[in-house]
Amino acid sequence: MATKIGLISLGCAKNLVDSEHMLALLREDGCEIVENMADAEVAIVNTCGFIESAKQEAIETILETAQYKQGGALRALVVTGCLAERYRDEIAAELPEVDAVLGTGSYEDIVTAVHAVLAGEKPAYFKDAASAALSGDRDRLTPSYTAYFKIAEGCSNRCGYCIIPKLRGKYRSRPMEELLEEAKALSDAGVKELIVIAQDITKYGTDLYGERRLPALLAELCKLNFTWVRLHYLYPDQITDELIDVIAREPKIVKYLDIPLQHASARILKAMHRPGDRASFTQLIGTLRERIPGLVLRTSLIVGLPGETEEEFAELCEFLQDVRIERAGVFEYSPEEGTEAATLPDQIDSEVKTRRRFIIEELQSGVIDDYNLSRMHETLDVLCEGYDEDEERYYGRSYADSVDVDGRVYFVSEQPVNAGTFVRVRIDDSLGADLTGTCVEG
């Protein structure tokens, strides 16, 4: 009988793609993939280890999953991903519930690991993170109409607060020919929304070809049968005129850009080893909005970096009030061992960091309210994702809403609407961060 495998994928979309590769390898080996962990003989937890909250979530998930060993079908628990890479010795020593550990460079060893644990072994697989396979078949975990498209692995930016380069290795672009072959297969399979991802998609090609190749890649992707091509994440200092021209020119590229800025204070950004300052960011946003009509921006911000003064925090608030970025995720600085920022003096109390986060969230709540108000009575293309029984309405996303991080558009329709269908929705109200409306045509 086929071995039954259950998998839980934590963390970012890049981690999810790794999970999809592992599932494909296991299925090819003859395993059966099950959704209910109570039915699994081998459980895999693909972890995130980026910041403290992610580490805690990973450990809690490992312990909760291990409980299925008590009187259930579960025979073995395998831990993979960034937490495994970061704490390989600690996991083996402190979590006896774990039967095998695989680092970020060893996803292709998942089949070997499953066979080993079923034979009663407790193996560990750790190759250089930079040796991780960048391609291969995937058993996608996203809905059939949406797919993540990882164009590079690792990161070479060396931000002062970030552990990712140590966990994932240096930046490695995938060859364009390989990417276009995968994109063609996704297009042929009916994917309507392709989400282009990497730690930094703007650097795509610089390591392989000696030049930025993202504009050329995007132009080729737009020749395929996707409806939307969505971009995550663009570093502000790498956005060129050529890239802006392609985004503005190609109707399939949604006018939604995720550009992590992290702060606005020049001193704080320098301490982070991040590019830019308030003036350059303001100029960039102005240029983007001028050249890409209808543009919606998303960014990520960190408050409470060691030494952040009240004046520097106030500068961040003033910047956000001035530029009014439509989407922003704000995070409290998490001191992570192995990073430069963790060794800096003047670490900030958690209460101060929490207060600053709340202030930014309140400020951004007003920006979202204003943005939603500006969409009233507009008719938007919405990708339907299902029907909400509680709300008694369909729901989906507009171009301004990416998967899992932004709001929804709830709508009523006289005719049934299948998930994965694009419909036209007239916006007539808001529901917190979400919009509501009426389907006006299929």
Side-chain angles (χ1 to χ4, degrees), residues 117-378:
V117 295
L118 290 176
E121 301 174 26
K122 283 206 166 190
Y125 300 87
F126 291 98
K127 297 175 184 174
D128 181 358
S131 69
L134 299 182
S135 62
D137 292 337
R138 294 157 57 188
D139 274 17
R140 286 195 290 118
L141 296 169
T142 51
S144 62
Y145 48 83
T146 293
Y148 290 107
F149 188 60
K150 184 158 65 169
I151 65 173
E153 181 58 275
C155 187
S156 300
N157 286 324
R158 303 290 176 181
C159 299
Y161 52 83
C162 184
I163 196 71
I164 293 297
K166 293 184 178 180
L167 302 182
R168 291 283 186 172
K170 66 181 181 180
Y171 192 87
R172 295 155 352 254
S173 301
R174 294 175 58 194
M176 188 176 295
E177 297 79 8
E178 180 182 287
L179 288 173
L180 293 177
E181 182 179 346
E182 179 181 337
K184 175 73 163 53
L186 292 170
S187 174
D188 291 346
V191 169
K192 296 181 179 180
E193 179 185 34
L194 190 75
I195 306 177
V196 181
I197 58 171
Q199 284 299 128
D200 175 4
I201 65 172
T202 41
K203 282 190 173 65
Y204 173 72
T206 53
D207 56 318
L208 275 184
Y209 307 113
E211 63 181 8
R212 299 182 185 91
R213 286 283 184 91
L214 182 62
L217 175 62
L218 293 178
E220 292 300 315
L221 294 177
C222 289
K223 295 177 183 178
L224 299 172
N225 291 327
F226 304 115
T227 304
W228 284 349
V229 176
R230 189 180 295 276
L231 309 182
H232 290 267
Y233 308 89
L234 302 93
Y235 270 55
D237 63 327
Q238 302 290 318
I239 299 175
T240 63
D241 285 339
E242 180 187 15
L243 179 57
I244 296 173
D245 286 343
V246 171
I247 294 169
R249 180 179 71 241
E250 295 287 355
K252 291 184 178 181
I253 301 178
V254 296
K255 310 317 177 200
Y256 169 108
L257 301 180
D258 192 329
I259 307 174
L261 300 177
Q262 307 303 2
H263 213 280
S265 161
R267 192 193 71 82
I268 292 293
L269 287 163
K270 185 176 181 181
M272 291 178 170
H273 300 306
R274 295 281 304 186
D277 54 26
R278 179 178 178 178
S280 64
F281 291 164
T282 301
Q283 182 177 17
L284 172 64
I285 290 170
T287 298
L288 291 171
R289 284 177 170 159
E290 179 182 349
R291 293 174 60 179
I292 307 173
L295 178 66
V296 167
L297 293 171
R298 164 164 278 281
T299 196
S300 53
L301 306 164
I302 295 174
V303 296
L305 193 83
E308 181 190 52
T309 65
E310 289 294 340
E311 291 76 18
E312 288 163 336
F313 174 68
E315 181 179 8
L316 175 59
C317 293
E318 291 166 4
F319 166 75
L320 293 172
Q321 288 174 317
D322 287 344
V323 298
R324 305 189 73 75
I325 294 171
E326 292 85 359
R327 312 285 194 232
V330 56
F331 303 91
E332 299 174 26
Y333 166 71
S334 175
E336 298 298 325
E337 69 272 18
T339 64
E340 180 181 318
T343 67
L344 293 176
D346 303 319
Q347 297 283 329
I348 292 175
D349 291 343
S350 59
E351 294 83 1
V352 175
K353 290 189 283 191
T354 299
R355 175 179 61 82
R356 291 178 180 176
R357 175 172 61 84
F358 283 165
I359 290 171
I360 297 292
E361 288 175 344
E362 185 66 23
L363 188 159
Q364 282 300 123
S365 178
V367 173
I368 291 172
D369 288 344
D370 289 345
Y371 170 76
N372 284 348
L373 186 62
S374 75
R375 306 318 296 249
M376 290 303 120
H377 312 304
E378 285 191 33

Side-chain angles (χ1 to χ4, degrees), residues 43-114:
I44 301 167
V45 180
N46 192 15
T47 61
C48 177
F50 180 43
I51 58 176
E52 185 61 31
S53 59
K55 291 185 286 187
Q56 290 298 322
E57 180 187 22
I59 292 169
E60 290 170 5
T61 302
I62 291 168
L63 295 176
E64 289 170 1
T65 304
Q67 292 177 7
Y68 286 101
K69 288 184 177 181
Q70 308 302 318
L74 190 65
R75 297 168 57 190
L77 173 58
V78 179
V79 172
T80 66
C82 289
L83 188 82
E85 180 72 29
R86 190 171 182 182
Y87 298 107
R88 56 181 73 178
D89 296 331
E90 290 86 345
I91 289 175
E94 300 176 21
L95 293 173
E97 299 89 347
V98 176
D99 299 291
V101 185
L102 280 71
T104 56
S106 301
Y107 291 118
E108 65 271 26
D109 294 317
I110 188 63
V111 171
T112 304
V114 167

